[in-house]
Amino acid sequence: MGLQFGKLICIDFAIQFIGWIISAKFRTEKYFDLTGNKLYIEFMYLNIVYSGSLTFILLTYLSRNSTRQTLRQKIQSSCIFIWALRLGAFLFYRILKAGKDSRFDRMRNSPSKLFTAWMLQGLWVIITLLPTLYLNRKHVDKPLTKTDYIGWSMWLFGFLFEVIADKQKMTFKNNLNNKENFISTGLWKYSRHPNYFGEICSWLGLYISSSHMLVGYEKFIGILSPIFVTCLLSFVSGIPILERQAMKLFGTNPAYHTYRNRTPILIPFINFPRI
């Protein structure tokens, strides 16, 4: 059997704590003063990004049965590996192109805010992985069912939706003619945050694919994964920040207000009251 939950949680937060120490320490070194702000931002951002992606991969790997994995467990774990590797590669490319992530502007000079970011990432990793961690503990092997295929199909749909949305926005921003414009084409025509919609679908799919193998309290704890991702992106670190930034950049542009009023904030074709 893979490592017990307690050990996985300790490994998760130990990685985040070490990452925080490195980020905070590097910020105070003379090397920072010599090389300038841009290098530190890139270092801090990549440090957080890669520790997150690698922690997803590491915990999933450690949770596996050491003797024998079922086909279901292999597919489920592979979905995590693919998602984490893609995310790490994409964010690495994005920071190299942009040179910074504005979400980190206010925290780079504050060790306490950095600490909060690292610990939030630790929570994100362990809670998001809950269904897969529970699944990987199982020794019972059952034939694949419709639930497995429905869940994995939803994961694939969400994964591709997120990849396409990220690619469309990156292509748009790389065009110098769009420097002062906002994207409203492709998937962004149907949602103001289609990449987040795709990510939520992915984690909901992985919960569905594992749900019929979970028993008792595992079902109720496992569903925290898609709920947590949805709440995190909708109310904490994702949509609210980007919506404020967009209003700051395009708030005087009537075309942006038209786009904002007609385009759903998250779920395509479903326009909830404006946030």
Side-chain angles (χ1 to χ4, degrees), residues 153-166 187 198 202:
S153 296
M154 179 171 283
W155 175 85
L156 181 60
F157 167 79
F159 178 77
L160 293 177
F161 207 91
E162 182 177 9
V163 169
I164 293 171
D166 284 338
L187 296 179
S202 292

Side-chain angles (χ1 to χ4, degrees), residues 8-99:
L8 293 176
I9 292 173
C10 289
I11 291 172
D12 176 22
F13 283 98
I15 292 172
Q16 312 311 319
F17 185 74
I18 292 171
W20 169 69
I21 290 177
I22 293 173
S23 293
K25 180 66 176 176
F26 189 78
R27 176 63 182 85
T28 62
E29 290 296 310
K30 292 180 180 179
Y31 185 60
F32 168 79
D33 298 325
L34 294 174
T35 56
N37 199 44
K38 183 175 182 293
L39 176 62
Y40 171 70
I41 295 173
E42 290 179 355
F43 169 82
M44 179 184 69
Y45 183 65
L46 292 176
N47 193 13
I48 293 177
V49 164
Y50 275 102
S51 69
S53 296
L54 293 177
T55 306
F56 269 101
I57 294 172
L58 178 62
L59 295 190
T60 302
Y61 178 80
L62 293 176
S63 69
R64 303 182 312 161
N65 290 325
S66 57
T67 54
R68 177 178 175 271
Q69 265 202 306
T70 66
L71 177 60
R72 177 181 288 106
Q73 290 168 335
K74 289 179 180 179
I75 295 175
Q76 187 88 357
S77 296
S78 296
C79 290
I80 302 291
F81 296 154
I82 293 169
W83 175 87
L85 289 171
R86 201 290 306 189
L87 178 68
F90 169 73
L91 294 179
F92 177 75
Y93 174 78
R94 188 173 73 177
I95 193 62
L96 288 181
K97 293 288 291 186

Side-chain angles (χ1 to χ4, degrees), residues 167-175 178 181-183:
K167 179 65 169 61
Q168 289 175 342
K169 188 170 186 178
M170 182 64 69
T171 301
F172 180 87
K173 295 181 72 173
N174 286 342
N175 186 338
N178 296 324
N181 297 324
F182 58 92
I183 183 171

Side-chain angles (χ1 to χ4, degrees), residues 130-246:
L130 280 172
T132 301
L133 297 181
Y134 279 130
L135 176 64
N136 280 349
R137 297 172 62 190
K138 305 295 181 182
H139 287 287
V140 178
D141 188 13
K142 297 180 180 179
L144 298 181
T145 67
K146 291 181 180 179
T147 304
D148 294 294
Y149 294 117
I150 291 172
W152 292 330
S153 296
M154 179 171 283
W155 175 85
L156 181 60
F157 167 79
F159 178 77
L160 293 177
F161 207 91
E162 182 177 9
V163 169
I164 293 171
D166 284 338
K167 179 65 169 61
Q168 289 175 342
K169 188 170 186 178
M170 182 64 69
T171 301
F172 180 87
K173 295 181 72 173
N174 286 342
N175 186 338
L176 296 180
N177 294 327
N178 296 324
K179 187 175 181 180
E180 304 297 329
N181 297 324
F182 58 92
I183 183 171
S184 59
T185 56
L187 296 179
W188 301 83
K189 179 180 180 180
Y190 306 103
S191 168
R192 303 207 299 274
H193 303 280
N195 50 340
Y196 291 157
F197 171 72
E199 181 160 347
I200 291 169
C201 287
S202 292
W203 294 112
L204 178 59
L206 291 183
Y207 169 73
I208 292 173
S209 63
S210 63
S211 61
H212 67 296
M213 293 294 294
L214 307 183
V215 295
Y217 69 90
E218 295 174 346
K219 287 183 179 291
F220 299 101
I221 296 180
I223 202 172
L224 290 176
S225 170
I227 292 175
F228 181 79
V229 171
T230 301
C231 292
L232 184 66
L233 294 178
S234 299
F235 305 113
V236 183
S237 69
I239 290 175
I241 296 174
L242 295 178
E243 287 289 302
R244 287 194 296 268
Q245 291 176 353

